[in-house]
Amino acid sequence: MIHHSLLAMSWMLPEQASSYAPEVDHLYEFLVGTTIFFCVLIFAAILFFFVKYRRRSSDEIPRPIAGSMVLESAWTIIPFIISLFMFAWGAKIYLQEYTIPNDALDIYVVGKQWMWKFQHPEGQREINELHLPVGRKIRFIMATEDVIHSFFIPAFRMKEDIVPGPNRYTTVWAEPTMTGQFHIFCAEYCGTSHSGMIGWVTVMNDRDYQNWLSGGAAEGSMADRGASLFQQLGCITCHRSDAQGQCPRLEGIYGKEQLMSDGQKVVADDSYIRESVLSPLAKIVAGYQPIMPSFQGQVSEEQIQELIAYIKSIGPPETTNATPGTMKGSTKISAPGSNPAAKPPIMTTGGATIVAPQTEKAQPAQLPQQTPGQNQ
Ligand code: CUA
């Protein structure tokens, strides 16, 4: 119904470098086109009436007008339909942009005064530069270390505020459709050097991306680094993989629903894990005591993301018999003995936990999900 060719604004917009960019532009063109159309119509009518109904003599008295039902209905109903159409179109794009695909590649983003920090699951870290493969859906998992920032890649038509707070990751996705270099901006005023909080995203073909990936990450994958942190910070002394600790086991929880002490059920996703690290008392897993200290100020946002990558790597859901840790980019961690933090995982079979006999005494009160008698 609209002739994009007449209204095409590509000459004044950045390249369309993501899968949904063309549709965003079409909506934008429609909005601008509609605005121009009514603007011209209204100003033309004003000028026309201005001349046609001008006062011709000083004693002229205009004929009274009682109104026109047809005219008033028309100028109510037509704009109503047009604005509903705009709403429906916008909502469709919104849902598309905010429904994260399952098969997306995760990129962790941290905004900080005044830089963008990126982590790839394979371990690469970048500042103000981001390398991405073309034709892959990318999920950006974003947090801020201080104030509100807004992650903006104009060529992707993607802009998302990153809001501080312990229980919040912001996610958004995009699929780059062309190789090249594109601007990254911060689109929320965040202090003195806000305008310097910029960078480049480099979209590469898959082979170049794989080459690039294999070039770095001397410190191992994100999950590897998370595993060392898990040990350094002492998490491992309490969250023990043998279910003898005083804290919930973390194997296999990622992405699964957990029962809280108040009866609430929470999916153990990135935001939940981040909240548990920063304000552990916010949600207590049923059957456990609120004894965990906050790690606020002790771990950086990137370290939290590494811890999450580690937890993700120890026992993905739905693969109870597979070797845990087979998640992309975390293979090193799954090799038993390769990393002291990653103890050989416990096998779970149909919900029952098989635990190696332990010398320490068991604490059945804190093991709510165990079958009675299972522990011995
Ligand atoms: Cu960060 Cu503006």
Side-chain angles (χ1 to χ4, degrees):
M1 70 175 283
I2 315 133
H3 294 280
H4 300 303
S5 50
L6 296 177
L7 285 166
M9 302 175 69
S10 45
W11 57 275
M12 58 184 297
L13 293 171
E15 287 157 299
Q16 298 174 334
S18 77
S19 55
Y20 51 63
E23 206 177 349
V24 173
D25 287 2
H26 291 160
L27 175 60
Y28 187 61
E29 286 160 6
F30 176 73
L31 295 178
V32 173
T34 310
T35 310
I36 291 173
F37 175 78
F38 282 103
C39 211
V40 170
L41 186 74
I42 288 165
F43 276 93
I46 289 173
L47 281 175
F48 177 73
F49 295 147
F50 195 62
V51 175
K52 183 166 193 305
Y53 298 108
R54 70 186 184 278
R55 204 173 196 196
R56 279 164 224 252
S57 66
S58 55
D59 57 349
E60 187 181 357
I61 294 171
R63 182 166 56 87
I65 300 171
S68 159
M69 197 59 184
V70 174
L71 205 54
E72 286 183 26
S73 306
W75 74 46
T76 307
I77 292 169
I78 293 172
F80 178 67
I81 291 172
I82 294 174
S83 52
L84 273 190
F85 178 73
M86 288 170 177
F87 165 75
W89 194 355
K92 178 178 170 260
I93 298 175
Y94 178 88
L95 287 175
Q96 193 177 321
E97 284 203 31
Y98 288 87
T99 308
I100 313 287
N102 290 325
D103 54 344
L105 177 73
D106 285 345
I107 296 288
Y108 288 87
V109 182
V110 174
K112 167 181 182 198
Q113 287 168 325
W114 289 277
M115 63 180 80
W116 292 108
K117 301 194 278 188
F118 303 100
Q119 288 198 92
H120 298 251
E122 291 81 0
Q124 276 73 8
R125 288 194 267 201
E126 307 186 72
I127 290 180
N128 294 340
E129 283 223 48
L130 174 61
H131 290 77
L132 295 177
V134 72
R136 279 289 303 273
K137 295 179 177 110
I138 314 289
R139 175 168 74 144
F140 298 95
I141 302 168
M142 311 192 288
T144 164
E145 270 188 40
D146 33 54
V147 298
I148 302 181
H149 302 279
S150 184
F151 187 54
F152 184 26
I153 304 180
F156 291 179
R157 307 295 186 269
M158 187 192 85
K159 178 160 75 176
E160 185 64 26
D161 282 7
I162 311 176
V163 181
N167 58 348
R168 164 127 44 179
Y169 270 116
T170 311
T171 47
V172 70
W173 76 279
E175 180 183 339
T177 50
M178 60 193 285
T179 56
Q181 277 210 313
F182 310 101
H183 280 292
I184 299 170
F185 292 113
C186 176
E188 179 74 51
Y189 181 68
C190 56
T192 315
S193 299
H194 154 73
S195 63
M197 196 168 160
I198 53 177
W200 290 97
V201 52
T202 305
V203 179
M204 319 161 94
N205 67 41
D206 207 49
R207 195 161 38 106
D208 291 350
Y209 181 67
Q210 294 307 329
N211 283 342
W212 180 84
L213 274 184
S214 59
E219 309 146 281
S221 70
M222 280 180 76
D224 288 340
R225 294 201 295 265
S228 346
L229 274 172
F230 197 74
Q231 199 174 32
Q232 279 166 31
L233 295 166
C235 319
I236 195 167
T237 58
C238 194
H239 291 282
R240 292 173 50 158
S241 58
D242 56 16
Q244 305 295 305
Q246 299 184 33
C247 310
R249 291 175 59 227
L250 303 178
E251 278 79 2
I253 65 155
Y254 185 83
K256 286 197 180 148
E257 237 178 29
Q258 307 295 313
L259 181 67
M260 299 297 127
S261 54
D262 61 359
Q264 196 190 354
K265 283 187 176 164
V266 180
V267 173
D269 58 6
D270 297 59
S271 296
Y272 166 78
I273 298 171
R274 178 163 179 261
E275 182 186 54
S276 300
V277 173
L278 295 178
S279 47
L281 306 187
K283 295 190 180 72
I284 304 296
V285 176
Y288 290 89
Q289 297 301 313
I291 52 169
M292 176 167 161
S294 167
F295 285 81
Q296 182 100 49
Q298 296 181 50
V299 284
S300 68
E301 286 296 339
E302 285 136 305
Q303 289 176 323
I304 297 172
Q305 291 172 339
E306 289 162 359
L307 286 168
I308 292 170
Y310 169 64
I311 291 167
K312 226 179 197 175
S313 75
I314 47 175
E318 261 99 62
T319 51
T320 44
N321 290 322
T323 312
T326 47
M327 197 192 82
K328 237 191 319 313
S330 62
T331 43
K332 273 176 225 156
I333 221 156
S334 66
S338 70
N339 190 321
K343 286 195 173 176
I346 291 160
M347 302 297 285
T348 51
T349 45
T353 311
I354 300 163
V355 191
Q358 290 294 314
T359 47
E360 283 171 53
K361 61 175 183 290
Q363 299 168 352
Q366 290 167 342
L367 303 167
Q369 281 154 352
Q370 252 175 346
T371 323
Q374 177 75 47
N375 212 28
Q376 285 308 327

